[in-house]
Amino acid sequence: MGDCIFCKIVDGSAPADIVHRDERVTAFRDLHPAAPTHILIVPNRHIHSVNALETADAEIVGHMLVIAKELAAKENLSDGFRLVTNTGPQAGQTVFHMHLHLLGGRQLRAMG
Ligand code: DGP
């Protein structure tokens, strides 16, 4: 997707503080962190949102969760962390390349 900022981060044409990269996913620090640790984990292939997922994408979604767990351990989030995937405008999705927010490092409020 030519105008997708996360595609540009994945292909290296836009800068980011990348903390993990493999053949399936890239993880980088959020530009506007909402917690001491705020990392975005994205599939390297453009997927618009959770609503665009197909059965064949189950493996990559599982891989995103495993990478999230590994990054949480690297960030010393042993007291806990939160994984969020905003889907659609009413949920607050602003970048339409599916991503997992990994948040931690402070007490997080109950969701509401
Ligand atoms: P969401 O609102 O769930 O779609 O989350 C999008 C997040 O992406 C938001 O927390 C800010 C972050 N973000 C937007 N543009 C950039 C960027 O160019 N670089 C980085 N590192 N993060 C970005």
Side-chain angles (χ1 to χ4, degrees):
M1 293 278 286
D3 58 350
C4 170
I5 182 61
F6 287 179
C7 283
K8 288 179 179 164
I9 289 171
V10 167
D11 73 17
S13 61
D17 184 358
I18 291 175
V19 295
H20 175 87
R21 191 201 293 276
D22 63 39
E23 69 282 358
R24 286 170 287 178
V25 306
T26 300
F28 49 91
R29 294 193 192 278
D30 195 289
L31 203 54
H32 306 297
T37 291
H38 189 169
I39 291 170
L40 302 172
I41 301 150
V42 313
N44 291 344
R45 179 168 56 84
H46 186 89
I47 299 174
H48 191 75
S49 79
V50 167
N51 274 333
L53 287 173
E54 298 177 1
T55 305
D57 295 321
E59 197 273 340
I60 192 150
V61 174
H63 185 60
M64 289 168 72
L65 283 170
V66 171
I67 294 302
K69 180 208 79 168
E70 290 178 3
L71 289 171
K74 276 189 190 157
E75 296 279 316
N76 300 308
L77 302 181
S78 54
D79 286 341
F81 56 89
R82 181 172 291 167
L83 298 173
V84 175
T85 304
N86 296 323
T87 304
Q90 197 163 34
Q93 185 175 8
T94 58
V95 177
F96 288 86
H97 180 135
M98 187 187 134
H99 50 281
L100 207 51
H101 295 256
L102 165 60
L103 296 152
R106 67 168 171 81
Q107 184 63 48
L108 297 169
R109 289 182 296 280
M111 306 267 300

